[in-house]
Amino acid sequence: MSSHSGELKILSVNSEGVGPLAVGGHDTLFTASEVEALNSLSADHSAAKSLERGERLVCREELSVQLWPFTTVKTTKKTKYYTHEEALTLILASSEDSEDSQYDSEREEMFEQQLDDVLDRSMSEDSDADWEPQSQTGRPPAPTPTEGGRQKRQRSHSAATSATSPAASSTATPTTGRSRAARRVRGRGRRGGYRGASRGPSRAPSAATGEQQWRDVGDHDVEPALLDFVPVRQPGPQQQTRVATSPLEFFRLFFTDAVLNTLTANTNAYGAKRHDGKQVVWHNICRADIYSYLAMVIYMGMVKCSTLLDYWRGSRLYSLIFPPSVISRNKFLRISRALHMSDITADEENVAKRGTPAYDRLCKIKPLYSHIVEACKAHFQPGRHISIDERMVASKARISLKQYIKSKPTKWGYKLFVLADSGTGYTWNFFVYEGKSPGYGNGLSYDSVMSLLDFDLLGTGYQLYVDNFYTSSHLFLDLLKKKMGACGTIRANRVGFPKTTINDFTRGTPRGAIKWIRDSELLFVKWMDTREVVMCSTIHKAFTGDTAQRRVKTAGAWEVVHVPIPAAVKDYNQHMGGVDLSDPLIGYYSASHKTMKWYKTFFYHFLDIAIVNAHILYQQCQRGSMTQKEFRHALIEELADLGTPSTSRPSTSQVAAPPNPAASHKPQYLDEQDEAKRDSAGRAGRRICKLCHRKTPVGCSTCGVPLCFVATRDCYNEWHTQQGM
């Protein structure tokens, strides 16, 4: 034992077994066991760490204490004062839990012994206090967030103390008058709560941690048993759906007579309300007018014009025949302004509930919204492979329903969660995201999947594919309990994902490398392509021998090579595109156009969903090769035939009629009006014909175009006919 002014240094025990402690010139005697305990603590790195928490442990003389050979504790925040005896008690108290530190909790200790923490308790511990932890008076109070952080830093040294100094734990006697700081250093008991894992180097990894490591592609993996596919109904179009034969009949499976009657009644009621007290009187519309209106809306998705009025212009640039033959311009605009899907009385009642939990943000679209969802489910049963993803309906309206997703092609708009059939792209179920809500108890991704999966209509044995927004071990295990497999990309920071880095990918890992971990029913697999791909699955084996073609550059030349690919990645690429297939089908000829009312944007999107689903059903039932464009053409004509006949004529008020072609065009010799060429007779007849590219002296007097006008070549009339003159 040696002393140094102002510091505590414990180096060795003297020959007599007793060593003096020099603190500020005062010698304090310690027993041999106490000195041995202090020596053990000074040699333990975790013990030194336990003092590095922003406080200064001092004696009455305000002398700092240093555990050699580590750095002196920094003086920050506040200073606590202890006597020599209190300081020693505080240090020795931290070793009293040494026998409890072998396991982080009693539950872990019982699990290591293959016991159940509830069913395998000993009879001596079976008491009411065990089942009512809040009523136990002997347990320390729950720590504050600050104290909890200090406990984690203090617990790591207890194992080393127990192994090095068995006498310390037997010598030190806990007292009822222990200071608050002493209780804080010791932490909560084994039965009291959670112990964080030690980060010190002295603690060896547990057996479970040592076994969990990333395995190579050659390691054996057990393939999960294939779930029996037992759908509630026959996959594909249902029996009542197969009765339809024409595009209009398939479309009316979604826009039924009841939907059209409701739409007509609500539009008339809202139109009359808008025109109340105005000079212009509202004229009620009928179902035939709705047919004409729908035909025109779908037509606008096929033929694009910059403004709605251009469809009825009679100018030379437009002169579209179809729009005025179906519905007049004024009637179309009048219906567009008054289009309403909900009852105006229900709207007024809902507005009165604004600011309360009973307020429905989707009240104005709810009648059509609910019917379209039910119709999508009723007329089609998905195949075994289904997928869930988000869909964006483009809009920049100033409303809180609008969302922003940076990774989507359509970044601004309304977000829909969609379940689609992977093979056909049929939209089977969807719901509109209304924003943050306290109703998502398990998180938005988990609850979205569970709300879209109607297990009563689907059945069992389905295989669901999702992206990394939805994938979690909690979700996949719950789906497996319902006999539904799942596969998807996963984020490495998700709860439940293996945190081990043993045998993981390193820099320079070649393309096609595969690493995997199986955790019970869950398979986590990593695959190196151009970048790392991480998957989670309950239906796949780690590797089944599949390969993928990739183009690589070798010695300055590109060549095709075959690289190993996990089955989970291969099936994900094949079946995840259900929603991604449905989105372009809707976007090719979308009926959506600009509107100032948010609910009309949803009306146009529901119309697109109905058309695309009707086309898929038509292909499944009729086995025809009609494209969606041809399907829409036929549907527009059939809707127009059911509509009210129109007597509208194209508007010609803004553009003058073209002149009479016969009165303004005539052939003549070009040199007669060309003074420069009249003087050069040698060049006469050497103009190049506009049509046949031969030499001719004749041309059109109005157009100024050289054209042949001879018996063998009548380019003059032929060219004017081609130009529509």
Side-chain angles (χ1 to χ4, degrees):
M1 180 74 63
S2 64
S3 62
H4 182 73
S5 176
E7 295 183 345
L8 167 64
K9 286 190 177 182
I10 304 174
L11 300 180
S12 63
V13 182
N14 59 19
S15 58
E16 299 178 358
V18 178
L21 177 65
V23 179
H26 302 282
D27 292 344
T28 302
L29 296 179
F30 292 85
T31 64
S33 59
E34 292 173 340
V35 173
E36 183 179 2
L38 293 175
N39 278 332
S40 300
L41 290 177
S42 66
D44 185 14
H45 179 68
S46 59
K49 273 191 172 183
S50 66
L51 296 177
E52 296 177 0
R53 54 176 192 270
E55 298 178 356
R56 187 159 64 105
L57 185 62
V58 301
C59 299
R60 290 293 184 185
E61 293 81 7
E62 297 187 21
L63 299 177
S64 62
V65 178
Q66 178 184 16
L67 295 180
W68 182 86
F70 301 98
T71 58
T72 305
V73 179
K74 296 181 180 179
T75 303
T76 57
K77 294 185 179 179
K78 55 186 177 180
T79 301
K80 295 185 180 298
Y81 298 94
Y82 299 94
T83 63
H84 299 154
E85 292 76 8
E86 290 174 341
L88 178 63
T89 302
L90 180 64
I91 296 175
L92 294 179
S94 62
S95 65
E96 294 181 5
D97 269 346
S98 59
E99 62 180 9
D100 296 341
S101 62
Q102 183 177 1
Y103 300 97
D104 285 343
S105 64
E106 184 182 17
R107 176 177 297 181
E108 182 179 341
E109 181 179 358
M110 298 182 70
F111 179 79
E112 185 71 18
Q113 301 173 2
Q114 297 184 351
L115 300 176
D116 187 273
D117 65 317
V118 176
L119 301 179
D120 296 324
R121 289 180 180 272
S122 62
M123 296 301 296
S124 60
E125 296 178 352
D126 191 8
S127 63
D128 293 340
D130 292 335
W131 301 99
E132 296 179 6
Q134 298 298 331
S135 63
Q136 297 180 16
T137 58
R139 180 176 299 175
T144 63
T146 304
E147 293 175 352
R150 293 169 180 168
Q151 288 181 14
K152 292 181 180 180
R153 290 189 291 268
Q154 288 290 341
R155 288 170 184 155
S156 59
H157 73 279
S158 56
T161 306
S162 175
T164 310
S165 176
S169 59
S170 61
T171 304
T173 303
T175 60
T176 56
R178 177 179 296 170
S179 64
R180 180 173 62 88
R183 293 195 301 270
R184 183 171 66 245
V185 172
R186 181 182 181 186
R188 302 178 69 175
R190 286 172 52 190
R191 302 175 61 86
Y194 171 78
R195 283 180 178 267
S198 172
R199 298 180 182 270
S202 61
R203 178 167 179 171
S206 64
T209 305
E211 292 178 357
Q212 190 181 53
Q213 64 179 5
W214 291 102
R215 301 183 180 274
D216 296 321
V217 66
D219 295 338
H220 176 69
D221 184 28
V222 179
E223 185 171 2
L226 183 64
L227 297 174
D228 294 333
F229 182 47
V230 186
V232 175
R233 303 173 297 178
Q234 182 69 24
Q238 299 307 295
Q239 188 63 36
Q240 69 274 16
T241 307
R242 298 181 181 275
V243 179
T245 56
S246 66
L248 178 61
E249 292 177 353
F250 282 100
F251 175 75
R252 292 183 66 177
L253 295 174
F254 302 91
F255 276 74
T256 61
D257 292 341
V259 171
L260 295 177
N261 291 335
T262 302
L263 189 62
T264 302
N266 293 334
T267 300
N268 284 329
Y270 185 70
K273 179 181 177 181
R274 289 184 73 253
H275 288 76
D276 187 20
K278 297 182 180 180
Q279 294 182 352
V280 180
V281 180
W282 170 259
H283 298 281
N284 286 340
I285 60 175
C286 60
R287 193 198 302 176
D289 294 327
I290 296 294
Y291 283 130
S292 299
Y293 179 79
L294 293 178
M296 191 61 208
V297 170
I298 302 173
Y299 174 82
M300 289 178 176
M302 304 291 297
V303 181
K304 299 293 184 180
C305 289
S306 57
T307 63
L308 294 179
L309 299 181
D310 292 340
Y311 289 97
W312 286 270
R313 293 193 188 278
S315 66
R316 186 176 176 183
L317 295 177
Y318 298 97
S319 297
L320 299 175
I321 300 175
F322 182 79
S325 66
V326 176
I327 188 173
S328 66
R329 179 195 62 188
N330 293 340
K331 179 181 286 189
F332 179 86
L333 296 178
R334 188 168 67 250
I335 295 177
S336 296
R337 296 187 185 105
L339 185 66
H340 216 70
M341 291 170 277
S342 60
D343 188 0
I344 59 175
T345 304
D347 292 343
E348 294 173 354
E349 295 175 353
N350 186 61
V351 170
K353 301 176 184 177
R354 189 185 297 272
T356 65
Y359 177 72
D360 187 2
R361 304 178 68 184
L362 304 178
C363 177
K364 291 188 176 182
I365 65 171
K366 189 58 68 69
L368 182 59
Y369 172 30
S370 303
H371 178 83
I372 293 295
V373 171
E374 294 301 323
C376 291
K377 295 180 182 179
H379 297 293
F380 187 83
Q381 182 74 11
R384 182 166 199 157
H385 305 286
I386 55 179
S387 62
I388 291 178
D389 202 356
E390 306 98 17
R391 174 186 295 165
M392 295 294 290
V393 181
S395 175
K396 289 192 176 180
R398 296 182 179 179
I399 184 172
S400 58
L401 285 174
K402 182 182 62 178
Q403 301 292 319
Y404 175 77
I405 302 181
K406 183 178 181 180
S407 60
K408 291 291 184 180
T410 303
K411 294 177 172 52
W412 291 97
Y414 308 114
K415 182 163 69 173
L416 277 66
F417 291 94
V418 182
L419 186 152
D421 178 66
S422 297
T424 61
Y426 183 93
T427 300
W428 192 78
N429 193 8
F430 66 92
F431 73 89
V432 180
Y433 177 59
E434 302 180 42
K436 294 182 179 179
S437 172
Y440 300 115
N442 294 311
L444 175 61
S445 59
Y446 181 96
D447 293 339
S448 299
V449 173
M450 287 301 185
S451 62
L452 289 173
L453 292 172
D454 193 339
F455 296 98
D456 295 334
L457 285 179
L458 285 174
T460 60
Y462 279 89
Q463 295 181 359
L464 174 66
Y465 294 86
V466 293
D467 62 17
N468 58 18
F469 174 76
Y470 306 93
T471 304
S472 67
S473 57
H474 180 203
L475 172 64
F476 279 20
L477 291 176
D478 286 354
L479 290 177
L480 196 60
K481 293 177 183 178
K482 297 180 180 293
K483 297 182 179 180
M484 180 173 291
C487 174
T489 56
I490 187 172
R491 301 172 183 174
N493 60 354
R494 278 289 169 95
V495 175
F497 186 82
K499 303 303 181 184
T500 180
T501 59
I502 303 176
N503 197 30
D504 199 354
F505 285 156
T506 59
R507 180 174 296 182
T509 300
R511 176 181 252 175
I514 299 175
K515 301 287 185 181
W516 61 273
I517 288 179
R518 180 167 292 279
D519 184 3
S520 185
E521 294 89 354
L522 293 174
L523 171 69
F524 301 94
V525 59
K526 290 184 177 182
W527 180 56
M528 180 60 70
D529 196 17
T530 53
R531 60 187 179 89
E532 184 179 286
V533 179
V534 188
M535 304 289 297
C536 179
S537 175
T538 59
I539 56 179
H540 291 100
K541 188 179 178 181
F543 182 66
T544 57
D546 297 320
T547 59
Q549 292 185 356
R550 292 293 185 269
R551 294 179 69 249
V552 297
K553 196 171 186 179
T554 305
W558 291 96
E559 61 178 359
V560 177
V561 298
H562 295 269
V563 297
I565 181 173
V569 178
K570 182 179 179 181
D571 289 347
Y572 178 85
N573 292 337
Q574 182 179 357
H575 301 299
M576 179 55 196
V579 179
D580 294 336
L581 175 60
S582 177
D583 289 347
L585 290 176
I586 292 175
Y588 286 148
Y589 310 104
S590 176
S592 179
H593 53 265
K594 291 182 179 180
T595 175
M596 297 182 65
K597 301 294 184 181
W598 65 270
Y599 53 87
K600 294 180 183 178
T601 302
F602 281 106
F603 172 80
Y604 298 134
H605 184 68
F606 296 156
L607 179 62
D608 285 328
I609 292 177
I611 296 173
V612 171
N613 282 356
H615 175 238
I616 294 174
L617 294 176
Y618 179 86
Q619 288 182 319
Q620 295 283 318
C621 295
Q622 300 300 322
R623 302 293 182 181
S625 59
M626 180 180 288
T627 64
Q628 186 187 167
K629 183 178 181 180
E630 296 171 344
F631 182 86
R632 289 184 179 247
H633 284 169
L635 177 61
I636 291 170
E637 293 179 355
E638 290 182 282
L639 288 172
D641 293 339
L642 293 177
T644 304
S646 175
T647 58
S648 176
R649 292 292 181 267
S651 174
T652 59
S653 58
Q654 298 182 3
V655 181
N660 185 4
S664 57
H665 296 271
K666 63 179 181 178
Q668 68 177 13
Y669 287 97
L670 296 176
D671 284 341
E672 292 182 1
Q673 61 180 3
D674 193 341
E675 295 293 336
K677 293 185 179 180
R678 181 180 299 175
D679 297 334
S680 57
R683 298 181 59 185
R686 299 179 64 85
R687 302 288 300 275
I688 302 300
C689 176
K690 184 70 174 179
L691 187 62
C692 69
H693 304 291
R694 297 184 183 181
K695 296 179 181 179
T696 177
V698 182
C700 179
S701 61
T702 302
C703 301
V705 177
L707 295 165
C708 297
F709 191 62
V710 295
T712 57
R713 300 191 308 274
D714 190 6
C715 298
Y716 177 88
N717 290 317
E718 185 177 352
W719 184 82
H720 281 83
T721 302
Q722 292 179 0
Q723 302 301 319
M725 301 178 186

